[in-house]
Amino acid sequence: MDTQQLKREAHDLDVTVWVGKSGLEAVVDELNDQLSNEQLVKVKFLRAARAGSSTEEKAADLADRVNAELIDTRGHTAVFHR
């Protein structure tokens, strides 16, 4: 499936993982679990999680940690695919 098609599918998804002040470490296991059951997972980066860096940087780091592909970032939300 190409990236454009994945982005279209992700459009109607609800956010199921929120990254807050506890940081990326707190959501790695949860995101791994969700990616093993779902093709796409939408993640929201709250203000406390973004302290000092962009959503794109945080999302790329999280994608590396869970061995997933970062499909898209819009605002403070990212979509991951595995």
Side-chain angles (χ1 to χ4, degrees):
M1 204 178 292
D2 71 345
T3 303
Q4 290 301 325
Q5 188 173 355
L6 290 170
K7 284 182 183 181
R8 282 192 295 274
E9 284 188 29
H11 182 270
D12 293 328
L13 285 179
D14 291 329
V15 173
T16 56
V17 176
W18 289 264
V19 181
K21 65 182 175 184
S22 298
L24 299 179
E25 285 299 321
V27 300
V28 168
D29 289 338
E30 177 63 26
L31 183 55
N32 264 323
D33 289 346
Q34 289 191 26
L35 284 169
S36 62
N37 296 323
E38 302 291 334
Q39 180 177 345
L40 295 168
V41 176
K42 199 177 267 189
V43 177
K44 176 85 171 195
F45 293 86
L46 303 176
R47 184 182 317 144
R50 297 188 314 267
S53 61
S54 70
T55 300
E56 290 79 12
E57 291 171 333
K58 292 287 187 183
D61 186 15
L62 185 55
D64 287 341
R65 292 180 189 213
V66 297
N67 195 25
E69 180 182 1
L70 178 60
I71 298 299
D72 194 18
T73 57
R74 289 185 187 227
H76 302 300
T77 304
V79 178
F80 297 89
H81 171 264
R82 185 180 317 147

Short mmCIF file of all heavy atoms in Angstrom, two decimals, residues 50-80:
data_model
loop_
_atom_site.label_atom_id
_atom_site.label_comp_id
_atom_site.label_asym_id
_atom_site.label_seq_id
_atom_site.Cartn_x
_atom_site.Cartn_y
_atom_site.Cartn_z
N ARG A 50 6.26 17.78 23.99
CA ARG A 50 7.00 18.45 22.92
C ARG A 50 8.04 19.42 23.42
O ARG A 50 8.77 20.01 22.62
CB ARG A 50 6.03 19.20 22.01
CG ARG A 50 5.05 18.33 21.30
CD ARG A 50 4.24 19.11 20.27
NE ARG A 50 3.73 20.38 20.76
CZ ARG A 50 2.53 20.56 21.29
NH1 ARG A 50 1.72 19.55 21.45
NH2 ARG A 50 2.14 21.76 21.67
N ALA A 51 8.17 19.61 24.70
CA ALA A 51 9.04 20.62 25.28
C ALA A 51 10.40 20.68 24.59
O ALA A 51 11.21 19.77 24.69
CB ALA A 51 9.23 20.35 26.77
N GLY A 52 10.62 21.75 23.85
CA GLY A 52 11.92 21.99 23.24
C GLY A 52 12.16 21.34 21.90
O GLY A 52 13.20 21.55 21.29
N SER A 53 11.25 20.54 21.37
CA SER A 53 11.45 19.95 20.05
C SER A 53 10.13 19.87 19.30
O SER A 53 9.05 20.00 19.89
CB SER A 53 12.09 18.57 20.16
OG SER A 53 11.27 17.70 20.88
N SER A 54 10.22 19.63 18.02
CA SER A 54 9.02 19.62 17.18
C SER A 54 8.32 18.26 17.23
O SER A 54 8.90 17.25 17.62
CB SER A 54 9.41 19.94 15.74
OG SER A 54 10.13 18.86 15.18
N THR A 55 7.08 18.28 16.81
CA THR A 55 6.31 17.05 16.72
C THR A 55 6.98 16.08 15.75
O THR A 55 7.05 14.87 16.01
CB THR A 55 4.87 17.35 16.25
OG1 THR A 55 4.26 18.23 17.20
CG2 THR A 55 4.05 16.09 16.11
N GLU A 56 7.52 16.59 14.66
CA GLU A 56 8.17 15.74 13.66
C GLU A 56 9.37 15.01 14.25
O GLU A 56 9.57 13.82 14.00
CB GLU A 56 8.60 16.57 12.44
CG GLU A 56 7.46 17.07 11.59
CD GLU A 56 6.76 18.31 12.16
OE1 GLU A 56 7.30 18.94 13.12
OE2 GLU A 56 5.67 18.64 11.67
N GLU A 57 10.16 15.72 15.05
CA GLU A 57 11.33 15.10 15.69
C GLU A 57 10.91 14.02 16.68
O GLU A 57 11.47 12.92 16.69
CB GLU A 57 12.16 16.16 16.43
CG GLU A 57 12.87 17.14 15.52
CD GLU A 57 13.49 18.30 16.29
OE1 GLU A 57 13.01 18.64 17.38
OE2 GLU A 57 14.47 18.84 15.77
N LYS A 58 9.92 14.33 17.51
CA LYS A 58 9.44 13.35 18.49
C LYS A 58 8.84 12.14 17.79
O LYS A 58 9.05 11.00 18.20
CB LYS A 58 8.39 13.99 19.41
CG LYS A 58 8.94 15.03 20.34
CD LYS A 58 9.75 14.39 21.44
CE LYS A 58 10.16 15.42 22.47
NZ LYS A 58 11.00 14.87 23.50
N ALA A 59 8.07 12.37 16.72
CA ALA A 59 7.42 11.28 16.00
C ALA A 59 8.46 10.39 15.32
O ALA A 59 8.34 9.16 15.35
CB ALA A 59 6.45 11.84 14.97
N ALA A 60 9.50 10.98 14.74
CA ALA A 60 10.56 10.19 14.10
C ALA A 60 11.28 9.34 15.14
O ALA A 60 11.59 8.16 14.89
CB ALA A 60 11.53 11.11 13.37
N ASP A 61 11.54 9.91 16.30
CA ASP A 61 12.20 9.16 17.38
C ASP A 61 11.32 8.00 17.84
O ASP A 61 11.79 6.88 18.01
CB ASP A 61 12.48 10.11 18.55
CG ASP A 61 13.29 9.46 19.66
OD1 ASP A 61 13.88 8.37 19.45
OD2 ASP A 61 13.35 10.04 20.76
N LEU A 62 10.03 8.25 18.00
CA LEU A 62 9.11 7.19 18.42
C LEU A 62 9.01 6.09 17.36
O LEU A 62 8.99 4.91 17.69
CB LEU A 62 7.73 7.79 18.72
CG LEU A 62 6.68 6.85 19.29
CD1 LEU A 62 7.18 6.16 20.57
CD2 LEU A 62 5.39 7.60 19.57
N ALA A 63 8.99 6.47 16.09
CA ALA A 63 8.95 5.49 15.00
C ALA A 63 10.17 4.57 15.06
O ALA A 63 10.05 3.35 14.88
CB ALA A 63 8.87 6.19 13.65
N ASP A 64 11.34 5.14 15.33
CA ASP A 64 12.56 4.33 15.46
C ASP A 64 12.46 3.37 16.63
O ASP A 64 12.86 2.21 16.52
CB ASP A 64 13.79 5.22 15.65
CG ASP A 64 14.20 5.94 14.38
OD1 ASP A 64 13.79 5.51 13.28
OD2 ASP A 64 14.93 6.94 14.49
N ARG A 65 11.92 3.82 17.73
CA ARG A 65 11.84 2.99 18.94
C ARG A 65 10.90 1.80 18.78
O ARG A 65 11.10 0.77 19.41
CB ARG A 65 11.39 3.82 20.13
CG ARG A 65 12.42 4.84 20.57
CD ARG A 65 11.91 5.61 21.75
NE ARG A 65 12.79 6.73 22.06
CZ ARG A 65 12.99 7.17 23.28
NH1 ARG A 65 12.39 6.62 24.31
NH2 ARG A 65 13.79 8.20 23.48
N VAL A 66 9.85 1.95 17.97
CA VAL A 66 8.88 0.86 17.81
C VAL A 66 9.02 0.16 16.46
O VAL A 66 8.21 -0.69 16.12
CB VAL A 66 7.42 1.36 17.98
CG1 VAL A 66 7.19 1.88 19.39
CG2 VAL A 66 7.05 2.38 16.94
N ASN A 67 10.06 0.53 15.71
CA ASN A 67 10.32 -0.10 14.42
C ASN A 67 9.10 0.02 13.50
O ASN A 67 8.62 -0.98 12.95
CB ASN A 67 10.73 -1.57 14.60
CG ASN A 67 11.34 -2.13 13.33
OD1 ASN A 67 11.88 -1.39 12.52
ND2 ASN A 67 11.24 -3.43 13.16
N ALA A 68 8.60 1.23 13.36
CA ALA A 68 7.43 1.50 12.53
C ALA A 68 7.77 2.59 11.53
O ALA A 68 8.77 3.29 11.66
CB ALA A 68 6.25 1.93 13.39
N GLU A 69 6.90 2.75 10.56
CA GLU A 69 7.06 3.79 9.55
C GLU A 69 6.20 4.98 9.93
O GLU A 69 5.02 4.81 10.27
CB GLU A 69 6.63 3.25 8.18
CG GLU A 69 6.76 4.24 7.07
CD GLU A 69 6.27 3.67 5.74
OE1 GLU A 69 5.81 2.53 5.69
OE2 GLU A 69 6.34 4.42 4.75
N LEU A 70 6.78 6.16 9.91
CA LEU A 70 6.03 7.39 10.16
C LEU A 70 5.37 7.79 8.84
O LEU A 70 6.05 8.12 7.88
CB LEU A 70 6.97 8.49 10.66
CG LEU A 70 6.36 9.85 10.92
CD1 LEU A 70 5.26 9.76 11.98
CD2 LEU A 70 7.42 10.84 11.34
N ILE A 71 4.05 7.73 8.79
CA ILE A 71 3.31 8.01 7.57
C ILE A 71 3.08 9.51 7.38
O ILE A 71 3.23 10.03 6.29
CB ILE A 71 1.95 7.27 7.57
CG1 ILE A 71 2.17 5.77 7.61
CG2 ILE A 71 1.10 7.65 6.36
CD1 ILE A 71 2.94 5.21 6.45
N ASP A 72 2.69 10.19 8.45
CA ASP A 72 2.31 11.59 8.32
C ASP A 72 2.33 12.27 9.68
O ASP A 72 2.11 11.63 10.70
CB ASP A 72 0.89 11.67 7.74
CG ASP A 72 0.51 13.06 7.25
OD1 ASP A 72 1.41 13.89 7.03
OD2 ASP A 72 -0.70 13.31 7.08
N THR A 73 2.62 13.57 9.68
CA THR A 73 2.42 14.39 10.88
C THR A 73 1.63 15.61 10.45
O THR A 73 1.91 16.22 9.41
CB THR A 73 3.74 14.85 11.53
OG1 THR A 73 4.52 15.55 10.57
CG2 THR A 73 4.53 13.69 12.07
N ARG A 74 0.63 15.94 11.25
CA ARG A 74 -0.17 17.15 11.01
C ARG A 74 -0.43 17.77 12.36
O ARG A 74 -0.98 17.12 13.25
CB ARG A 74 -1.49 16.80 10.34
CG ARG A 74 -1.31 16.38 8.91
CD ARG A 74 -2.61 16.17 8.25
NE ARG A 74 -2.34 15.62 6.92
CZ ARG A 74 -2.89 16.06 5.83
NH1 ARG A 74 -3.75 17.04 5.88
NH2 ARG A 74 -2.59 15.53 4.67
N GLY A 75 -0.03 19.01 12.48
CA GLY A 75 -0.17 19.66 13.78
C GLY A 75 0.64 18.92 14.82
O GLY A 75 1.85 18.77 14.67
N HIS A 76 -0.02 18.42 15.83
CA HIS A 76 0.68 17.69 16.91
C HIS A 76 0.28 16.21 16.92
O HIS A 76 0.38 15.54 17.94
CB HIS A 76 0.37 18.34 18.26
CG HIS A 76 0.75 19.79 18.28
ND1 HIS A 76 2.04 20.21 18.06
CD2 HIS A 76 0.02 20.90 18.45
CE1 HIS A 76 2.09 21.53 18.11
NE2 HIS A 76 0.86 21.97 18.35
N THR A 77 -0.15 15.73 15.75
CA THR A 77 -0.59 14.34 15.62
C THR A 77 0.25 13.64 14.55
O THR A 77 0.59 14.23 13.53
CB THR A 77 -2.08 14.30 15.21
OG1 THR A 77 -2.83 15.03 16.17
CG2 THR A 77 -2.60 12.87 15.15
N ALA A 78 0.57 12.37 14.81
CA ALA A 78 1.36 11.57 13.86
C ALA A 78 0.66 10.24 13.62
O ALA A 78 -0.06 9.74 14.48
CB ALA A 78 2.76 11.34 14.41
N VAL A 79 0.91 9.68 12.43
CA VAL A 79 0.34 8.38 12.08
C VAL A 79 1.48 7.41 11.83
O VAL A 79 2.41 7.72 11.08
CB VAL A 79 -0.56 8.48 10.83
CG1 VAL A 79 -1.10 7.12 10.45
CG2 VAL A 79 -1.68 9.47 11.04
N PHE A 80 1.39 6.25 12.47
CA PHE A 80 2.41 5.22 12.35
C PHE A 80 1.85 3.97 11.67
O PHE A 80 0.67 3.65 11.85
CB PHE A 80 2.95 4.83 13.74
CG PHE A 80 3.62 5.97 14.44
CD1 PHE A 80 2.91 6.84 15.24
CD2 PHE A 80 4.98 6.17 14.29
CE1 PHE A 80 3.52 7.90 15.87
CE2 PHE A 80 5.61 7.22 14.91
CZ PHE A 80 4.89 8.09 15.72
#
